[in-house]
């Protein structure tokens, strides 16, 4: 298994991908110059690509909290076993755990990034969660995540043909485990130490790094503005729907008031009608009684 203690390029990569995102390019270029005597190593360093925002967040998580990442990967392995054994009960349980874990760990990773001064957009968070999900579903993706050398986010296809050739900094990354690096305290020695020689092109590279940082900031701003516009459209749509529903409620209330008024009128008319009915029933009873009396009188006369 590749080991940072035996592979200088892996050791350098492990240190480089632990740096803040904005520091990666100038530090890499300085290291190329430092190791120019070893052309193969210098070329290897020069070929290390800067990680995407989502990949950097996952790499940060792997170094800040490897135990939590190992828990994610363990649940993923158990999920794969449950799928292979067709154990429906375990499959449901582990699937539930997978969703809960990926959401929870993504939130933790975003918090770690924020502590490093990096704000992650919803789009980046979705890529982080997709990468963690891929690591739970695919063994190779799990090894790629654990390496801490991701350069792009990963998304599982579910077909078992995941191509990770462009997802990690080096082919040797699969099987390599990133060095745990707790959050740095006031002591600067806790940060990754990259011993670089003075660079005569430092000013130019600093300007290039500043340009790159500005470009990243503009991209983040564009993404944030896009999300803000979408949120604003949603709010406006819901506000319009609220007004529509309120208008319908007002119409229904007005109609209810009309019907209640009509009900009172009908109740009054019903009371009058019932009084008339009672009077007519009395008249009918009196007339029936009078008819019976008259019939009895007639029958008596005929009999006499």
């Amino acid at each position: 298994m590749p080991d940072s203690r035996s592979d200088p390029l892996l050791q350098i990569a492990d240190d480089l991908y632990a740096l803040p995102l904005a520091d990666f390019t100038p530090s890499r270029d300085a290291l190329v110059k430092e190791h120019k005597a070893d052309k193969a190593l210098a070329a290897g360093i020069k070929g290390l690509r800067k990680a995407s925002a989502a990949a950097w967040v996952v790499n940060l998580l792997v170094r800040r909290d490897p135990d939590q990442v190992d828990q994610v990967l363990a649940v993923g392995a158990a999920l794969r076993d449950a799928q292979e054994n067709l154990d429906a009960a375990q499959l449901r349980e582990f699937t539930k755990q997978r969703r809960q874990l990926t959401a929870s760990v993504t939130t933790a990773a975003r918090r770690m990034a924020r502590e490093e001064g990096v704000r992650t957009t919803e789009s980046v968070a979705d890529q982080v969660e997709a990468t963690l999900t891929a690591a739970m579903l695919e063994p190779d993706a799990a090894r790629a995540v654990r390496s801490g050398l991701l350069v792009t986010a990963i998304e599982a296809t579910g077909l078992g043909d995941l191509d990770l050739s462009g997802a990690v900094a080096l082919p040797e990354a699969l099987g390599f485990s990133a060095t745990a690096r707790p959050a740095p305290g006031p002591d600067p020695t806790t940060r990754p130490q990259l011993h670089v020689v003075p660079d005569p092109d430092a000013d130019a590279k600093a300007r290039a790094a500043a340009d790159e940082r500005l470009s990243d900031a503009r991209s983040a701003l564009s993404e944030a503005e896009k999300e803000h516009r979408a949120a604003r459209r949603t709010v406006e749509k819901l506000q319009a729907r609220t007004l529509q529903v309120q208008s319908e409620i007002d119409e229904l209330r007005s109609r209810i008031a009309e019907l209640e008024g009509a009900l009172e009128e009908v109740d009054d008319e019903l009371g009058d009608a019932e009084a008339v009915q009672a009077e007519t029933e009395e008249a009918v009873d009196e007339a029936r009684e009078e008819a019976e009396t008259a019939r009895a009188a007639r029958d008596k006369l005929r009999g006499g």
Side-chain angles (χ1 to χ4, degrees), residues 234-282:
T234 300
V235 168
E236 291 172 351
K237 185 183 297 184
L238 290 174
Q239 287 174 337
R241 179 59 179 156
T242 298
L243 293 175
Q244 179 184 352
V245 172
Q246 186 61 54
S247 176
E248 293 174 358
I249 290 173
D250 292 341
E251 290 179 5
L252 289 172
R253 285 175 175 165
S254 177
R255 179 59 179 157
I256 289 172
E258 292 176 3
L259 292 174
E260 287 176 342
L263 178 61
E264 291 180 0
E265 294 178 1
V266 172
D267 280 343
D268 291 341
E269 293 175 0
L270 177 60
D272 294 341
E274 287 175 342
V276 171
Q277 180 184 12
E279 292 176 358
T280 57
E281 284 178 350
E282 291 179 0

Side-chain angles (χ1 to χ4, degrees), residues 32-54:
V32 170
K33 185 173 292 291
E34 178 186 352
H35 294 283
K36 63 182 179 180
D38 187 337
K39 294 183 179 180
L41 180 57
I45 297 171
K46 187 175 182 180
L48 296 174
R49 292 181 293 143
K50 182 180 179 181
S52 69

Side-chain angles (χ1 to χ4, degrees), residues 49-96:
R49 292 181 293 143
K50 182 180 179 181
S52 69
W56 178 82
V57 172
V58 175
N59 291 339
L60 177 68
L61 170 68
V62 170
R63 290 176 171 83
R64 288 285 185 270
D65 196 347
D67 291 341
Q68 185 165 223
V69 173
D70 288 341
Q71 182 185 11
V72 170
L73 302 184
V75 172
L79 174 60
R80 293 194 298 273
D81 288 342
Q83 288 175 321
E84 292 174 1
N85 297 329
L86 300 179
D87 188 327
Q90 281 188 317
L91 183 59
R92 286 193 297 271
E93 177 61 26
F94 287 134
T95 298
K96 179 181 178 181

